[in-house]
């Protein structure tokens, strides 16, 4: 489930109460799906949504997309029943919302098979302060940023440059990288604004996120493009590796490509880009 072996460019939320969307998702080119029992489902629809989702997962047909189930927080009246109904229904991971501390993760881990990975919503101010601890939990395999909840709790304003969220976004990427787990950016609410989405995806990519959570199928293509290595990145990576190998062979320590030095660490980054491109190429063939 880590980002070295599978992509997480586009992570689509689907309300578990929407049969039509659950059906449609079988043919959508997103890398991962979050089947949502939490905020996208109204309180009086929770029980039906649980049953609908369990059926959809058992019917399958979601191919090699990662399947995450977002349950309700365990302190809500629905959380425990969500776990009971979905823990063996075929999900690849359970996504826990409203986490504040490591012990919130422990509480869920106690209810799941030891092999079931846990993903965490990072959407409260307390969770951001505890990001390193939460990400380092042995069962946690990914962090998903909840920018709408963070904005609400901070009392900040939505801005195109997301300056008010920057400390949180960076803490989440930092924590995920320190623990070598996946980091996914928050949603872009204006789901019919493709240009705005592109800008925000680029920013998320620049910050180091593996991909973006999405609310509508129209957002998938933009995210897939933004979080894949570009052809010029791939080309540069190849030239950096070749130049570095040549300089090693001739005994010069440092190579130069396009007027920029290439050291061992740049080669590591270049190889990572090529590995990611390879994973995506194989996915396309499958
Ligand atoms: N996943 C899969 N399919 C989706 C989808 C989603 N998140 N959102 C819309 N679709 C499907 C619709 O079922 C519709 O399919 P059809 O034309 O084959 O019947 C198609 O995409 C077009 O949908 P559209 O009419 O443009 O959107 P809408 O007005 O029905 O819905 C939203 C708009 C925002 C309400 C809807 O996209 C949604 O519920 N998104 C998820 C919200 C969510 O999960 N929030 C919680 C996390 S922030
Ligand atoms: Mg939330």
């Amino acid at each position: 489930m880590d980002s070295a072996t599978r992509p997480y460019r586009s992570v689509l939320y689907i309300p578990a109460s929407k049969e039509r969307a659950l059906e449609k998702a079988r043919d959508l080119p997103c890398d991962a799906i979050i089947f949502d029992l939490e905020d996208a489902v109204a309180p009086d629809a929770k029980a039906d949504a649980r049953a609908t989702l369990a059926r959809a997962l058992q019917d399958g047909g979601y191919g090699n997309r990662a399947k995450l189930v977002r349950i309700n927080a365990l302190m809500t009246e629905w959380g425990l029943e969500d776990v009971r109904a979905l823990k063996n229904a075929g999900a690849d991971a359970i996504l826990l919302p409203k986490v504040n501390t490591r012990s919130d993760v422990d509480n869920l881990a106690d209810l799941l098979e030891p092999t079931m990975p846990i993903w965490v919503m990072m959407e409260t101010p307390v969770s951001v302060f505890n990001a390193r601890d939460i990400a380092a939990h042995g069962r946690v395999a990914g962090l998903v940023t909840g920018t709408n909840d963070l904005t609400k709790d901070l009392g900040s304003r939505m801005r195109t440059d997301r300056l008010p969220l920057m400390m949180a976004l960076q803490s989440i990427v930092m924590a995920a990288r320190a623990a070598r787990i996946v980091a996914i950016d928050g949603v872009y609410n204006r789901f019919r604004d493709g240009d705005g989405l592109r800008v925000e995806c680029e920013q998320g990519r620049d910050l180091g996120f593996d991909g973006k959570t999405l609310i509508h199928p129209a957002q998938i293509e933009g995210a897939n493009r933004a979080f894949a290595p570009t052809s010029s990145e791939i080309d540069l990576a190849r030239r950096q590796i070749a130049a570095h190998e040549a300089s090693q062979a001739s005994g010069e320590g440092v190579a130069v490509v396009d007027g920029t030095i290439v050291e061992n660490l740049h080669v590591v980054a270049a190889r990572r880009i090529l590995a990611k491109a390879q994973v995506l190429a194989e996915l396309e063939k499958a």
Side-chain angles (χ1 to χ4, degrees):
M1 287 282 285
D2 72 273
S3 62
T5 50
R6 81 185 304 164
Y8 287 97
R9 297 165 300 171
S10 48
V11 181
L12 179 66
Y13 280 104
I14 304 188
S17 52
K18 291 196 177 173
E19 293 216 41
R20 175 72 201 124
L22 291 171
E23 173 61 37
K24 197 177 170 75
R26 295 191 165 98
D27 299 316
L28 294 172
C30 52
D31 289 336
I33 299 173
I34 296 175
F35 297 99
D36 190 21
L37 291 165
E38 201 219 11
D39 283 354
V41 178
D44 58 7
K46 300 268 188 202
D48 283 350
R50 232 179 250 140
T52 305
L53 175 54
R55 240 185 351 259
L57 287 172
Q58 263 136 31
D59 290 348
Y62 294 102
N64 47 20
R65 296 167 193 84
K67 295 171 296 227
L68 306 154
V69 170
R70 184 164 80 168
I71 59 170
N72 289 278
L74 294 180
M75 73 279 258
T76 66
E77 62 186 280
W78 309 288
L80 284 174
E81 189 54 27
D82 289 348
V83 174
R84 200 200 57 74
L86 275 311
K87 66 178 183 177
N88 294 319
D92 294 310
I94 302 294
L95 172 59
L96 186 63
K98 308 293 185 311
V99 167
N100 284 314
T101 66
R102 257 181 97 91
S103 69
D104 294 328
V105 179
D106 286 333
N107 292 340
L108 176 60
D110 287 346
L111 304 173
L112 299 174
E113 301 293 332
T115 50
M116 175 63 84
I118 295 173
W119 284 47
V120 170
M121 290 300 304
M122 298 294 291
E123 55 185 351
T124 71
V126 178
S127 74
V128 173
F129 282 112
N130 290 326
R132 182 178 173 182
D133 235 28
I134 291 169
H137 191 292
R139 294 289 297 277
V140 173
L143 304 181
V144 178
T145 313
T147 37
N148 283 321
D149 269 297
L150 276 170
T151 299
K152 172 186 71 90
D153 284 4
L154 293 175
S156 57
R157 286 183 171 146
M158 293 274 185
R159 288 170 51 116
T160 319
D161 62 8
R162 297 199 293 174
L163 202 57
L165 292 176
M166 209 39 76
M167 184 263 186
L169 297 174
Q170 292 184 308
S171 301
I172 291 164
V173 175
M174 252 357 130
R177 293 300 164 246
R180 299 176 186 273
I181 61 171
V182 181
I184 310 293
D185 200 356
V187 299
Y188 183 66
N189 294 337
R190 294 162 58 89
F191 59 92
R192 300 204 193 283
D193 173 6
D195 290 337
L197 174 74
R198 203 164 309 125
V199 170
E200 206 171 279
C201 283
E202 285 296 328
Q203 187 194 38
R205 168 67 194 90
D206 288 349
L207 285 166
F209 282 103
D210 294 297
K212 193 160 179 69
T213 40
L214 310 173
I215 50 178
H216 192 278
Q219 299 183 310
I220 295 172
E221 201 192 322
N224 281 349
R225 192 164 333 109
F227 288 95
T230 64
S231 51
S232 58
E233 280 173 331
I234 294 169
D235 174 62
L236 178 62
R238 288 198 180 116
R239 290 188 295 123
Q240 286 176 320
I241 292 166
H244 190 260
E245 278 168 4
S247 74
Q248 295 288 98
S250 67
E252 300 162 35
V254 181
V256 178
V257 171
D258 297 348
T260 306
I261 59 161
V262 181
E263 295 173 310
N264 285 331
L265 63 115
H266 300 114
V267 173
V268 171
R271 289 199 196 288
R272 200 182 298 143
I273 286 172
L274 295 187
K276 196 167 185 182
Q278 177 76 26
V279 167
L280 293 175
E282 274 160 24
L283 189 81
E284 219 128 271
K285 269 188 265 156

